[in-house]
């Protein structure tokens, strides 16, 4: 048989639709609730901060949603993304298993986030929005939105989590280059930010706080809307282009995954690759395991509680039914900034509760070790976030070898780490401590984050 290492699709083979898992979920997700009334949120309530088309997608039960031509045009500049057989990595491990990865770092933003930034900017533009506010952790999302907004002629204001703002000046400059304004969060621009700073002037910030700041600004101006890079159903919908392509590519390779692995922040890259394969499980008799890997310092899926909670720190969002560590949870300053979010998206939360997806947590040093092995054998320097997926894939290969079987493993390499080189430096210097959130910390945060009874 011919030796295959890189599986490419032509532009005309690129899927033209996103896949909506809600259509196939045995238990539909619970509705978001208005915290004041305890009643399901009406679409009009969300219209203050999101354009109508994204709200429609958020609640849609249609199985497939067409990707607009203008979005496809930009997708074509970097999609379809390649799928690789990790032959170098397999050899270094001496594994009998086959390891494949889908590479989402080969675009202007360096991560999968471009896949949703482009349609979000597009739909806002179509509905007459002039300015978008958003948050960014490590900076990938802000970079993704900066270029997309500039392309469609929208202004962008980014609240960047302060610890990342200080760790990654390169990301800020990149966003500025794409014409965005970047403010470290917590900031004095908003009531939410000022309140945090009053209590803790040295607050490192968190995604939850930055979301509150961005939403507050958007809610004040009819021509400004807010945009989120993960967690929400419409974001996850847009990311399914990854798995839709991967299904075709695995078929071209003459293979099918026994297990699909993704790192987990709010759930968008994991869901993006996993949900089309989950569809095949649910509707087509397949039996692929789907494994989300999250940091031990921010372990919502493995140690959080399934409950209604706010998506942001100051309680501006609707209440969402999700696995959460409590909206006041401030994760340790691990370098995988994109994974420092207190909750898991509603869709993954329901599917995890119902046993359709698995989750595990990992300490960061093991993940950096895996990333370095990957860099040395495959040549791509992974984003620290993506290293959790690599470590998860290595576990699967090692376990299969212990069991004396060969498995087909597919993981999502969600981004490259060219802006994260100082994190690698810290690792090499031995200055990257492991940190695990304790049961007491989580318990305390959940108690402090208690939300109105619903
Ligand atoms: C943002 C980000 C993540 C985590 O977010 P998800 O929504 O869980 O995918 C993972 N990897 C990279 C490279 C990111 O930029």
């Amino acid at each position: 048989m011919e030796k295959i290492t890189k599986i490419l699709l032509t532009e005309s083979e690129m899927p033209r639709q996103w896949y909506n898992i809600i259509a196939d979920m045995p238990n539909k997700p619970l509705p978001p609730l208005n915290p004041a009334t305890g009643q399901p949120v009406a679409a009009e309530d969300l219209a203050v901060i999101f354009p109508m088309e994204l709200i429609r997608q958020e609640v849609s039960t249609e199985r497939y949603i067409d990707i607009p031509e203008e979005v496809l045009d930009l997708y074509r500049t970097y999609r379809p993304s390649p799928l690789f057989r990790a032959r170098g990595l397999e050899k270094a491990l001496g594994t009998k298993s086959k390891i494949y990865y889908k590479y989402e770092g080969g675009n202007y933003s360096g991560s999968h986030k471009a896949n949703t930034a482009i349609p979000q900017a597009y739909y806002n533009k179509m509905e007459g929005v002039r300015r978008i506010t958003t948050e960014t952790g490590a900076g990938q999302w802000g970079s993704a939105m900066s270029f997309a907004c500039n392309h469609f002629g929208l202004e962008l204001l980014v609240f960047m989590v302060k610890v990342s703002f200080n760790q990654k000046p390169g990301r800020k400059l990149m966003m500025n280059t794409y014409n965005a304004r970047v403010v470290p969060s917590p900031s004095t621009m908003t009531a939410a930010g000022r309140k945090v700073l009053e209590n803790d002037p040295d607050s490192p910030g968190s995604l939850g706080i930055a979301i509150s700041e961005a939403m507050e600004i958007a809610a004040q101006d009819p021509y400004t809307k807010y945009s989120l890079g993960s967690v929400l159903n419409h974001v996850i919908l847009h990311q399914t282009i990854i798995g839709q392509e991967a299904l075709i590519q695995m078929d071209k390779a003459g293979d099918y995954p026994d297990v699909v692995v993704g790192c987990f922040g709010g759930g968008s890259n994991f869901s993006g690759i996993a949900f089309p394969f989950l569809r095949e499980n649910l509707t087509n008799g397949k039996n692929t395991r789907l494994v989300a890997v999250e940091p031990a310092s921010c372990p919502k899926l493995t140690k959080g509680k399934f409950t209604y909670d706010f998506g942001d720190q100051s309680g501006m969002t609707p209440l969402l039914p999700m696995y959460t560590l409590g909206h006041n949870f401030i994760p340790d300053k691990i370098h995988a900034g994109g994974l420092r979010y207190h909750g898991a998206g509603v869709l993954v939360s329901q599917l995890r509760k119902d046993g359709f997806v698995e989750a595990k947590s990992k300490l960061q040093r093991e993940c950096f070790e895996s990333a370095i092995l990957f860099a040395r054998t495959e040549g791509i320097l992974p984003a620290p976030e993506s290293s959790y997926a690599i470590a998860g894939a290595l576990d699967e290969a090692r376990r299969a070898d212990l069991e004396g079987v060969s498995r087909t493993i597919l993981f999502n390499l969600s981004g490259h780490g060219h802006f994260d080189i100082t994190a690698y430096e810290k690792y090499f210097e031995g200055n990257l401590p492991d940190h695990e959130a304790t049961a007491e910390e989580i318990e305390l945060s959940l108690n402090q984050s208690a939300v109105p009874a619903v």
Side-chain angles (χ1 to χ4, degrees):
M1 204 182 113
E2 204 188 331
K3 188 166 168 180
I4 298 179
T5 301
K6 176 160 95 296
I7 301 123
L8 301 175
L9 300 179
T10 62
E11 279 180 35
S12 61
E13 289 171 304
M14 187 168 78
R16 296 287 192 276
Q17 293 179 312
W18 294 302
Y19 167 60
N20 181 8
I21 190 90
I22 295 179
D24 294 316
M25 284 170 74
N27 292 323
K28 305 300 176 199
L30 300 171
L33 299 182
N34 181 326
T37 63
Q39 294 302 307
V41 169
E44 306 84 74
D45 297 347
L46 296 172
V48 181
I49 50 169
F50 294 120
M52 276 321 292
E53 184 53 33
L54 291 176
I55 297 170
R56 273 195 283 277
Q57 292 180 2
E58 189 65 19
V59 297
S60 171
T61 54
E62 292 291 311
R63 182 169 283 107
Y64 295 102
I65 292 178
D66 289 340
I67 307 175
E69 268 312 313
E70 291 83 348
V71 172
L72 287 172
D73 284 345
L74 268 192
Y75 274 4
R76 283 191 194 96
T77 65
Y78 67 94
R79 305 207 70 87
S81 70
L83 186 127
F84 293 95
R85 170 96 182 262
R87 291 190 183 274
L89 181 63
E90 287 174 19
K91 194 167 159 217
L93 291 173
T95 183
K96 277 199 250 175
S97 290
K98 290 182 270 186
I99 306 178
Y100 294 87
Y101 63 95
K102 180 84 165 144
Y103 183 43
E104 289 296 318
N107 64 63
Y108 70 87
S109 74
S111 80
H112 67 289
K113 298 232 168 58
N115 301 332
T116 183
I118 295 165
Q120 288 197 46
Y122 167 75
Y123 291 121
N124 274 286
K125 180 64 182 180
M126 286 301 104
E127 295 184 25
V129 173
R130 293 182 196 154
R131 182 174 68 155
I132 291 185
T133 62
T134 194
E135 73 294 324
T136 197
Q140 286 100 326
W141 171 239
S143 307
M145 261 327 256
S146 300
F147 175 80
C149 285
N150 195 59
H151 175 87
F152 288 111
L154 295 160
E155 276 177 49
L156 180 68
L157 172 62
V158 183
F159 289 92
M160 185 171 188
V161 177
K162 195 180 276 169
V163 53
S164 297
F165 186 91
N166 294 330
Q167 278 168 358
K168 298 187 174 190
R171 276 285 173 195
K172 173 190 170 283
L173 288 168
M174 184 178 181
M175 289 183 257
N176 291 154
T177 305
Y178 289 141
N179 215 9
R181 179 168 170 212
V182 187
V183 176
S185 165
S187 79
T188 51
M189 266 178 83
T190 65
R194 287 190 295 271
K195 193 163 158 225
V196 173
L197 289 171
E198 260 165 43
N199 291 329
D200 178 9
D202 296 325
S203 166
S206 70
L207 279 172
I209 296 169
I211 293 171
S212 298
E213 293 206 89
M215 282 182 69
E216 185 180 322
I217 300 276
Q220 290 163 357
D221 172 11
Y223 293 102
T224 300
K225 300 252 187 247
Y226 163 73
S227 160
L228 187 63
S230 182
V231 179
L232 297 178
N233 302 354
H234 65 265
V235 178
I236 280 158
L237 173 80
H238 302 153
Q239 294 295 353
T240 57
I241 185 82
I242 303 172
Q244 293 282 78
E245 286 179 2
L247 266 169
I248 307 172
Q249 287 164 309
M250 289 304 295
D251 189 52
K252 279 200 172 185
D255 226 334
Y256 196 85
D258 296 303
V259 55
V260 173
V261 183
C263 66
F264 198 91
S268 75
N269 90 90
F270 167 74
S271 309
I273 195 163
F275 283 1
F277 289 95
L278 180 52
R279 174 189 66 218
E280 299 304 302
N281 287 358
L282 291 168
T283 66
N284 212 5
K286 298 287 191 189
N287 203 11
T288 299
R289 290 173 47 232
L290 308 165
V291 182
V293 187
E294 62 184 6
S297 58
C298 197
K300 52 252 166 185
L301 284 175
T302 52
K303 287 193 185 159
K305 184 173 160 191
F306 184 88
T307 182
Y308 271 102
D309 192 13
F310 291 110
D312 68 320
Q313 201 263 347
S314 73
M316 295 188 68
T317 69
L319 290 169
L320 301 170
M322 60 183 183
Y323 281 96
T324 177
L325 298 166
H327 61 276
N328 285 317
F329 187 81
I330 307 257
D332 185 68
K333 302 175 199 174
I334 56 156
H335 269 272
L339 306 183
R340 297 175 76 242
Y341 182 66
H342 67 272
V346 167
L347 298 177
V348 176
S349 291
Q350 185 65 45
L351 289 163
R352 160 111 178 98
K353 188 160 172 276
D354 293 339
F356 294 110
V357 305
E358 301 172 31
K360 58 158 70 172
S361 72
K362 286 202 172 284
L363 295 165
Q364 69 175 345
R365 281 215 300 261
E366 178 194 339
C367 297
F368 269 92
E369 239 165 68
S370 309
I372 288 160
L373 176 66
F374 183 86
R376 288 179 184 169
T377 52
E378 294 295 319
I380 299 173
L381 186 79
E385 290 86 357
S386 314
S387 73
Y388 287 76
I390 301 171
L394 296 187
D395 279 355
E396 295 297 331
R398 289 179 181 131
R399 198 172 76 192
D401 288 329
L402 282 177
E403 293 170 9
V405 298
S406 162
R407 294 215 174 90
T408 298
I409 301 160
L410 168 64
F411 73 88
N412 197 15
L413 189 68
S414 52
H416 69 64
H418 296 179
F419 285 90
D420 307 280
I421 205 70
T422 53
Y424 281 88
E425 182 185 25
K426 285 217 167 85
Y427 173 80
F428 288 127
E429 288 168 344
N431 277 334
L432 209 57
D434 277 334
H435 178 270
E436 191 169 1
T438 64
E440 294 74 44
E441 278 167 353
I442 295 168
E443 179 80 34
L444 185 69
S445 164
L446 282 168
N447 287 338
Q448 286 176 346
S449 305
V451 300
V454 288

